[in-house]
Amino acid sequence: MAETKLTPQDFAPLHSEREVQSLSRPSLSYWQDAWIRLKANRRALISLYIVIFLLAFTVVGPWFWTIDPSTIDPDQISQPPGANREVVVTAPYEPWSIDSIVVPASGMALVGEPTTQSIRMAWAPMPGAFGYRVYRNHFPVEPGKALGLPLVNILNPDETWFEDRLNLKAQDYYYAVVATDATGNRISDPVSVDVLPERVITAEEAIRRGIASAEEPPAIGTPLKMKLHPLGTDYLGRDMLSRLMHGARVSLFIGIFAPFAYVILGIAYGAIAGFLGGIIDQFMMRFADFVVALPFLLFMIVFKLAFSVGAGESGIFAMLIAMIVLLWPGTARLVRGQILQIREEGYVSAAKLMGANTNYLVLRHMIPNTMGVILVTLTFAVPSAIFTEAFLSFIGMGVAPPTPSWGSMCNEGIKTMLTTPHELLFPAALISITVLVFNLLGDGLRDALDARMRSRE
Amino acid sequence: MWRYAFKRLIQGIITVWFIATATFVAMQMAPGDPLSGEKALSEEIRANLEAKYGLDKHPVQQYFIYMGNLLKGDLGISYTQQNRQVNDIIAEHFPVSAILGVLAIVFAALGGILLGALTALFRNKAPDVIIMFLVILGISVPSFVVAAIAQLSLVNINDLLGFSLLPVAGWGTVQHMLIPALVLGLSTMAFLTRLMRSSMLEIINADYVRTARSKGLPESRIFSRHMLRNAILPVVTVLGPAIAGITTGGFVVELVFAIPGLGRYFVQAVQQLDYTVIMGTTVFYGAFLVLMVIIVDLLYGWVDPRVRLD
């Protein structure tokens, strides 16, 4: 048997001790880990992008879309998005001269071109008439149905013409005329004519509205485009897009700032109570219990009244204060509970043993460890604050009228819901989307930040 | 049990006192006063009115008078309708709100429990995904938008059918109540569904469910006796706050559907700065909610015998 020769190499370790114990993955801080988990959650990530987009929409939007939200466009009232904006320049209005009237042989006929400046009509004299009454309607004249708005009672049987200049729009009108007797009773069947007037504007008016330049006044007959409203206009002819952007400022300001303010107040209150402990803690928490017991929305209204300064202000500030006064106890309880819990943790005792002072304990252990829970609370507080603002504005207790907010826009939109649903739909959709994305983001953050509260899905 | 109930009642009374005081302070702080309406009052009339309502006294004295009246159950006289007692207003309008609220709660609780159980049983399958999507929608869309859309669809459905399937607004018959109660209960139902789902998911894998199954119990019995009864517990705990949410949510629904409830009256009173009505209604609602929470808490001890009330 041959003797094996052993060399020092045979005694070298197969693996170095270091390699065996080295970590297979890089060490991650709490926040890096949370960020990775959030990134893996597609719903939360998309929500985060939408939140960023919404913030850009409200903060940067008004720089690009500079129309003032309170400017009224009287030519375009309650226009849905994509409405026809054509308008033709016309001569200034000239009174109708009697000589140019051509009375038709029978029935009713238009005289001249019908425009939104004036619609002129004449009809054949009716036998036995003492006078005539002219009606205007948006719906076709049918037997047995109302003729519409009576425009004029003519008391002269020879005057068989009429000029309508009353608030004309570029839409279908149905005119009807009936003969009347001496006491104004209708004595004949209606004779009618339907008309779609052309939208016109005088050159002077066009310059004043800013759709034509004053240096080169447009010639008569020039087609122009009226002001663009990408999302249409509301019932006063105000630009919806601009109002949505400015309304977002109110809604998101309250939605983000109010939770921040009351969460900070809650942290301070809860931390003080948790630290001091004993009878002061008992007393402070008992008080917080009472504030929690106040019915929230009722007291939002009552406090909103109390903190209002009076007429002429937007009411945002009062709403903010009322929200802070009512909502701080939730965070205070949470933070106090967390602090009481963390105080008993092993690592705090270890830090104390090693001589850490209170400042170090608070900054290094307490705050970072409560931060996750607080951030989650904050994200869920945003949608509820936006809801509250919308609710208050909807019942007319929120933001005062000239200032737009999504809630007050819904309140105005609901009145014209049947005819022009876009006035309600746009702000309602924005509120819903905002609340939805903040809820989803909150879910994602909770899953990423706080293992104990992780939802079971 | 009785000791606990008594303790809770005392706590509740203190809470109502706190609510009343907070309302009083808030009303004192509010700018303007109820007498400065559109009509300009002469000095004498003003002084007389102030004397009638006790506004000429010191706020502290007013507070004690107010509290004394409150103890007697007297909430005062309306400022805008000078011959109406706030008590009468509440007695007239609250039953309407209460009926609507009870219907909404029943609807929300039944719907939430059933849908939540359903989603848990069909976890990650089509019913679960669809219902959970609707739930997120129900939580995210404000009640006034839901109310408006419901009303709009009702108009269109009635139009389409050619006869009135359900009335669009108003109050009086059972048909009037259905849609508003549905709308009012919707967000609470969404919330309860979510809660029920997670509580069911926890129980589906519980030991006693497995034991029941291994004993050969029929699946329906396991579901009704073992799962549902245990999963329902967290839902009962949040019923108190849910009642509060439905009460105040009623404001909007009553407004949209033109229902003559106390919520709509309260909103009107706020807009007209009718201080006594605002105060009276707030205290009344506050006391009502406190009572509801106490009842729900006592109920919880009865539903779950493991909870010792003391």
Side-chain angles (χ1 to χ4, degrees):
Chain A
M1 204 174 178
E3 216 171 86
T4 320
K5 282 214 170 140
L6 290 170
T7 56
Q9 274 82 19
D10 292 326
F11 294 96
L14 279 173
H15 303 285
S16 84
E17 197 84 359
R18 249 190 122 64
E19 245 167 63
V20 171
Q21 285 197 344
S22 75
L23 296 167
S24 56
R25 282 186 285 178
S27 145
L28 291 174
S29 76
Y30 174 62
W31 295 105
Q32 284 170 325
D33 182 42
W35 174 237
I36 286 171
R37 266 187 285 186
L38 189 68
K39 270 201 295 195
N41 186 339
R42 215 175 52 204
R43 278 201 305 194
L45 205 63
I46 293 172
S47 303
L48 185 64
Y49 291 144
I50 297 178
V51 167
I52 292 168
F53 171 77
L54 278 171
L55 286 176
F57 174 73
T58 176
V59 175
V60 188
W63 292 345
F64 292 99
W65 190 249
T66 47
I67 288 186
D68 185 69
S70 52
T71 305
I72 290 169
D73 187 345
D75 296 324
Q76 302 190 70
I77 282 174
S78 287
Q79 289 290 315
N84 180 21
R85 294 185 290 122
E86 303 278 336
V87 62
V88 175
V89 179
T90 187
Y93 175 75
E94 268 176 42
W96 203 10
S97 72
I98 305 287
D99 315 327
S100 69
I101 298 170
V102 188
V103 174
S106 70
M108 192 180 189
L110 297 172
V111 180
E113 279 301 307
T115 65
T116 52
Q117 196 177 45
S118 76
I119 298 176
R120 293 164 177 174
M121 67 207 78
W123 55 90
M126 297 180 195
F130 254 88
Y132 301 99
R133 183 151 59 237
V134 182
Y135 295 90
R136 188 173 86 184
N137 205 345
H138 293 314
F139 304 102
V141 176
E142 283 170 38
K145 289 209 169 167
L147 294 172
L149 174 75
L151 291 176
V152 65
N153 274 319
I154 298 167
L155 300 177
N156 176 359
D158 299 327
E159 193 187 319
T160 59
W161 55 85
F162 176 65
E163 178 185 34
D164 183 13
R165 297 187 63 201
L166 180 69
N167 195 15
L168 292 167
K169 304 255 163 50
Q171 65 180 50
D172 280 311
Y173 290 109
Y174 300 87
Y175 289 95
V177 62
V178 296
T180 55
D181 65 10
T183 50
N185 290 322
R186 178 176 152 180
I187 56 166
S188 78
D189 283 335
V191 179
S192 67
V193 65
D194 57 311
V195 52
L196 174 63
E198 187 182 21
R199 190 176 353 224
V200 293
I201 194 168
T202 61
E204 191 191 343
E205 189 70 18
I207 292 165
R208 205 156 59 79
R209 294 268 162 81
I211 56 173
S213 72
E215 285 84 49
E216 355 171 354
I220 287 166
T222 323
L224 291 176
K225 286 246 178 197
M226 287 195 303
K227 278 232 171 78
L228 174 68
H229 300 292
L231 294 183
T233 51
D234 72 354
Y235 74 112
L236 287 176
R238 297 176 294 193
D239 184 64
M240 285 291 282
L241 179 60
S242 166
R243 283 180 70 73
L244 285 172
M245 280 173 180
H246 285 83
R249 291 190 164 185
V250 173
S251 296
L252 290 179
F253 173 75
I254 289 185
I256 291 170
F257 195 76
F260 258 101
Y262 72 69
V263 162
I264 288 172
L265 185 66
I267 291 174
Y269 193 91
I272 290 170
F275 259 119
L276 295 178
I279 195 128
I280 299 173
D281 174 40
Q282 287 285 315
F283 181 78
M284 284 175 83
M285 282 300 123
R286 197 57 66 214
F287 181 69
D289 285 346
F290 279 130
V291 180
V292 169
L294 297 177
F296 173 61
L297 283 174
L298 271 172
F299 270 84
M300 263 315 281
I301 295 170
V302 170
F303 281 156
K304 166 87 200 337
L305 275 182
F307 299 130
S308 299
V309 180
E313 58 146 344
S314 63
I316 298 172
F317 188 65
M319 221 179 323
L320 206 65
I321 303 274
M323 231 180 254
I324 294 169
V325 165
L326 280 168
L327 287 175
W328 60 266
T331 327
R333 277 172 162 184
L334 191 75
V335 169
R336 173 180 169 273
Q338 287 279 315
I339 285 199
L340 288 182
Q341 196 188 336
I342 292 168
R343 221 163 50 167
E344 307 302 321
E345 296 279 354
Y347 54 81
V348 173
S349 317
K352 268 190 198 152
L353 274 178
M354 290 197 279
N357 59 12
T358 315
N359 277 344
Y360 181 85
L361 283 179
V362 170
L363 292 176
R364 191 70 207 157
H365 290 300
M366 305 277 185
I367 289 183
N369 275 306
T370 41
M371 224 43 216
V373 187
I374 288 167
L375 199 64
V376 173
T377 320
L378 205 59
T379 331
F380 281 118
V382 172
S384 72
I386 291 176
F387 250 26
T388 309
E389 187 277 325
F391 169 83
L392 286 179
S393 296
F394 180 77
I395 63 169
M397 278 313 298
V399 177
T403 320
S405 90
W406 290 346
S408 59
M409 288 174 76
C410 282
N411 182 21
E412 288 158 3
I414 209 161
K415 289 165 193 152
T416 55
M417 175 173 85
L418 282 172
T419 47
T420 52
H422 73 278
E423 287 172 46
L424 170 69
L425 232 52
F426 287 140
L430 272 177
I431 294 175
S432 307
I433 290 171
T434 312
V435 171
L436 180 69
V437 294
F438 272 104
N439 273 328
L440 291 179
L441 187 63
D443 278 339
L445 275 180
R446 185 187 53 198
D447 290 354
L449 287 176
D450 190 0
R452 277 156 304 177
M453 284 164 75
R454 201 159 294 166
S455 71
R456 287 170 291 269
E457 279 188 53
Chain B
M1 170 77 190
W2 290 112
R3 252 197 69 172
Y4 174 76
F6 183 71
K7 210 175 102 184
R8 286 302 310 266
L9 208 62
I10 298 290
Q11 272 177 7
I13 289 168
I14 299 174
T15 311
V16 173
W17 166 79
F18 185 76
I19 289 173
T21 309
T23 321
F24 183 85
V25 172
M27 289 295 105
Q28 287 290 324
M29 280 167 68
D33 67 289
L35 299 180
S36 52
E38 287 117 51
K39 280 182 286 182
L41 300 172
S42 70
E43 283 298 314
E44 293 86 5
I45 294 175
R46 202 184 165 81
N48 277 338
L49 277 174
E50 280 188 351
K52 178 184 173 190
Y53 287 111
L55 290 174
D56 51 348
K57 299 192 176 70
H58 189 269
V60 176
Q61 209 176 346
Q62 282 185 45
Y63 175 73
F64 281 109
I65 293 172
Y66 170 68
M67 280 296 161
N69 286 338
L70 207 60
L71 278 180
K72 285 183 275 177
D74 177 10
L75 296 171
I77 312 162
S78 163
Y79 277 118
T80 46
Q81 296 169 292
Q82 259 118 13
N83 44 15
R84 281 192 86 184
Q85 295 271 331
V86 179
N87 292 25
D88 295 343
I89 292 172
I90 292 176
E92 187 187 329
H93 294 279
F94 182 67
V96 174
S97 297
I99 292 172
L100 187 66
V102 167
L103 264 180
I105 272 279
V106 168
F107 170 71
L110 286 182
I113 289 168
L114 286 180
L115 289 179
L118 203 66
T119 51
L121 291 182
F122 289 93
R123 190 180 179 189
N124 292 339
K125 294 200 190 104
D128 180 28
V129 174
I130 293 169
I131 293 174
M132 285 322 281
F133 175 75
L134 290 178
V135 160
I136 291 178
L137 216 62
I139 290 173
S140 303
V141 181
S143 58
F144 52 83
V145 176
V146 178
I149 290 172
Q151 204 176 29
L152 195 60
S153 344
L154 208 55
V155 169
N156 288 329
I157 289 171
N158 284 348
D159 231 24
L160 212 66
L161 290 176
F163 65 93
S164 178
L165 182 69
L166 287 172
V168 172
W171 191 250
T173 63
V174 181
Q175 283 96 316
H176 283 103
M177 300 172 189
L178 289 178
I179 295 294
L182 206 86
V183 170
L184 183 53
L186 212 59
S187 62
T188 311
M189 187 172 86
F191 175 67
L192 291 182
T193 306
R194 214 153 79 150
L195 194 70
M196 185 69 189
R197 180 176 184 270
S198 63
S199 124
M200 265 304 261
L201 284 181
E202 209 168 320
I203 273 161
I204 271 179
N205 298 321
D207 290 342
Y208 52 82
V209 172
R210 202 175 42 201
T211 311
R213 205 163 275 148
S214 66
K215 283 196 298 185
L217 286 182
E219 204 59 34
S220 61
R221 194 177 158 82
I222 298 174
F223 177 71
S224 60
R225 291 299 292 269
H226 292 86
M227 291 178 169
L228 212 53
R229 278 193 70 171
N230 282 296
I232 242 170
L233 294 175
V235 175
V236 177
T237 17
V238 297
L239 270 185
I243 291 171
I246 280 189
T247 320
T248 34
F251 294 3
V252 163
V253 174
E254 284 172 17
L255 221 57
V256 173
F257 285 98
I259 296 167
L262 192 55
R264 197 171 68 141
Y265 203 90
F266 178 72
V267 172
Q268 274 172 19
V270 168
Q271 281 159 359
Q272 295 166 350
L273 293 184
D274 194 340
Y275 285 62
T276 39
V277 175
I278 298 173
M279 280 161 80
T281 321
T282 309
V283 172
F284 176 77
Y285 264 134
F288 175 71
L289 293 178
V290 167
L291 191 68
M292 283 298 133
V293 172
I294 293 175
I295 290 175
V296 167
D297 281 356
L298 292 177
L299 209 64
Y300 193 62
W302 175 69
V303 174
D304 187 357
R306 287 171 304 182
V307 175
R308 293 270 312 276
L309 299 177
D310 46 30

